[in-house]
Amino acid sequence: MSSSAPPKLPVAPAGGMPTATLNDRATQRLRGGHPWVYRSDVEQWPAVLPAPGEAMGLRDRRGRGLGIADFSTSSQIALRRLSPDPEARLNRAFFLGRLQAALAYRQALVRDTTAYRLVWGEADGLPGLVVDRYGAALVFQTLTQAMAARQDLLLELLDELLHPEVIVERNDAKVRYLEELEVRAQLLRGDSAAVAVRFNGLEFELDLLQGQKTGGFLDQRENWAAVGRYLPSDPPHGLEALDLFTYQGGFALHLARHCHKIEAVDISRPALEAAEANARRNQIANIDWIEANAFDLLREYQAQGRRFDVVVLDPPAFAKSRSALGNAERGYKEINLRALKLLRTGGVLVSCSCSHHVSEADLLSIVASAALDAGRELTVLERRTQALDHPVLLTVPETLYLKCLLFRVR
């Protein structure tokens, strides 16, 4: 009778690496595939803490290794695991491998664009790092102390892989305050931060220093193109569309291929000027760019009895924290209710939310409630999320934030 050896258990990191002992809650979270350890979950810190950018080992109460993590002196997310392997070495080869894997993923899946997200933090095994590629330009953000400490190494590796002509640092995200990091944005290489890129056959000019996020909204790129699939190719009358919170015109410019007339609305005059410039660049002349508050305009159009075949709602995040969820849900309900009252029978509603704290189920429930109040019946055409270059890691729900729901009015 043969006997098999017991499975080999991982051991805590050796060689004098500082190691934190975690409680059962954090241990379960890590073993479930989520890389975050909160400060309150650390039962025992090492006698000497590592400097930012240096490795810290993780172990459970029984001394078994849980991997290696980045350490923050200030954030409530005190540790972010980089590898479940307690023997991993966070050297040049490690980070080069992660960047190569991220690039290979995009090269396999990204289509019809010269601009895409190259690194998406935890989803690419590089928590605290965001890198966007805009043609020959790269924009990067280091959002944790550890990634900020590795900035020079990361830029060296990105240069080796991609040889960018322009490099822009957009370390102006508010989350850096939580890490006690300087907030700044600057051009590190090249003569200008203005770039021209293509999305789904359309050309956009973006300012990588002044634009939202890292210069533009890359996460809606595939959704911009998807709406047209649900519009008639030869309608008996010219289709009319209303694009609210248009920013630089992503949905509006794509709808111009399918609609007779579009009204694109935003409260920001500079954003509308950039959108109008992009329309001229693509020889699109059937869009009216309107500077207005979307809530006020919806009320005004409802009072006037206006009607549209397509209404797009792509607002900024209404719920930036869980405490704001109640007000956010009321805001989403109002704009969806008023939009539904403007839609013709057979029309298409595009309802988006980039609030992480508002789930897809929440948004579906909000739109269903709005439809009942508006006396409209809806069918779900498609339930979409962020573009594939913003991958969603199944065990890290924070990597899923964008919801884009398409409905037809019965």
Side-chain angles (χ1 to χ4, degrees), residues 255-274:
L255 285 169
R257 303 166 171 172
H258 308 279
C259 298
H260 172 69
K261 180 181 178 183
I262 300 148
E263 295 183 25
V265 181
D266 203 278
I267 201 167
S268 167
R269 170 49 52 187
L272 290 172
E273 289 172 354

Side-chain angles (χ1 to χ4, degrees), residues 77-122:
I77 305 172
L79 298 160
R80 298 172 191 255
R81 188 168 70 172
L82 279 164
S83 173
D85 179 5
E87 302 300 321
R89 296 292 178 263
L90 305 186
N91 53 22
R92 189 179 194 278
F94 176 91
F95 290 102
L96 178 60
R98 291 285 167 94
L99 291 173
Q100 288 173 325
L103 179 59
Y105 171 87
R106 275 73 181 180
Q107 289 174 332
L109 294 177
V110 173
R111 299 286 183 274
D112 301 323
T113 185
T114 59
Y116 55 87
R117 177 145 294 179
L118 174 59
V119 177
W120 175 220
E122 283 80 355

Side-chain angles (χ1 to χ4, degrees), residues 104-307:
Y105 171 87
R106 275 73 181 180
Q107 289 174 332
L109 294 177
V110 173
R111 299 286 183 274
D112 301 323
T113 185
T114 59
Y116 55 87
R117 177 145 294 179
L118 174 59
V119 177
W120 175 220
E122 283 80 355
D124 287 297
L126 293 166
L129 179 65
V130 173
V131 183
D132 287 341
R133 189 177 190 180
Y134 293 88
L138 285 184
V139 184
F140 73 91
Q141 295 178 320
T142 53
L143 304 175
T144 61
Q145 293 174 357
M147 287 300 174
R150 300 186 188 107
Q151 180 167 308
D152 290 345
L153 169 63
L154 294 167
L155 287 176
E156 177 187 319
L157 295 174
L158 288 166
D159 197 24
E160 179 181 314
L161 285 172
L162 299 169
H163 312 293
E165 297 174 10
V166 174
I167 299 177
V168 175
E169 178 183 17
R170 283 298 299 266
N171 279 328
D172 52 355
K174 291 181 180 179
V175 69
R176 280 176 62 96
Y177 288 118
L178 301 177
E179 295 278 339
E180 298 180 348
L181 295 170
E182 178 188 359
V183 174
R184 61 180 183 266
Q186 57 184 325
L187 181 66
L188 298 182
R189 176 185 295 177
D191 298 324
S192 172
V195 297
V197 296
R198 294 190 70 79
F199 298 127
N200 311 310
L202 293 172
E203 190 169 295
F204 285 66
E205 183 171 325
L206 304 173
D207 188 329
L208 304 184
L209 270 176
Q210 302 299 324
Q212 293 284 335
K213 292 188 146 184
T214 62
F217 285 87
L218 305 178
D219 49 9
Q220 286 279 29
R221 181 186 69 253
E222 294 167 6
N223 298 332
W224 292 337
V227 180
R229 296 201 294 263
Y230 300 100
L231 304 181
S233 57
D234 188 21
H237 64 279
L239 298 179
E240 295 180 89
L242 177 63
D243 177 21
L244 297 163
F245 312 96
T246 191
Y247 185 53
Q248 294 186 359
F251 277 107
L253 292 168
H254 284 75
L255 285 169
R257 303 166 171 172
H258 308 279
C259 298
H260 172 69
K261 180 181 178 183
I262 300 148
E263 295 183 25
V265 181
D266 203 278
I267 201 167
S268 167
R269 170 49 52 187
L272 290 172
E273 289 172 354
E276 192 167 10
N278 286 329
R280 290 194 298 269
R281 178 181 288 269
N282 291 280
Q283 299 181 327
I284 293 172
N286 58 336
I287 305 175
D288 292 334
W289 305 98
I290 300 171
E291 182 181 355
N293 178 293
F295 286 87
D296 295 339
L297 193 70
L298 281 168
R299 295 187 195 99
E300 180 183 333
Y301 280 6
Q302 184 182 337
Q304 294 173 358
R306 295 287 305 278
R307 292 292 182 267

Side-chain angles (χ1 to χ4, degrees), residues 27-62:
T27 298
Q28 184 178 5
R29 188 184 306 115
L30 289 170
R31 288 181 175 152
H34 200 295
W36 293 356
V37 176
Y38 294 94
R39 195 166 299 277
S40 59
D41 290 334
V42 179
E43 289 199 341
Q44 184 177 353
W45 291 100
V48 179
L49 295 174
E54 295 180 359
M56 178 182 283
L58 305 173
R59 64 186 171 206
D60 65 13
R61 286 172 165 174
R62 297 174 61 186

Side-chain angles (χ1 to χ4, degrees), residues 301-335:
Y301 280 6
Q302 184 182 337
Q304 294 173 358
R306 295 287 305 278
R307 292 292 182 267
F308 296 90
D309 301 285
V310 185
V311 177
V312 177
L313 303 173
D314 186 19
F318 287 167
K320 295 186 177 180
S321 65
R322 192 168 297 279
S323 62
L325 190 54
N327 287 334
E329 289 176 342
R330 285 187 286 275
Y332 287 121
K333 170 77 176 285
E334 180 178 348
I335 59 173

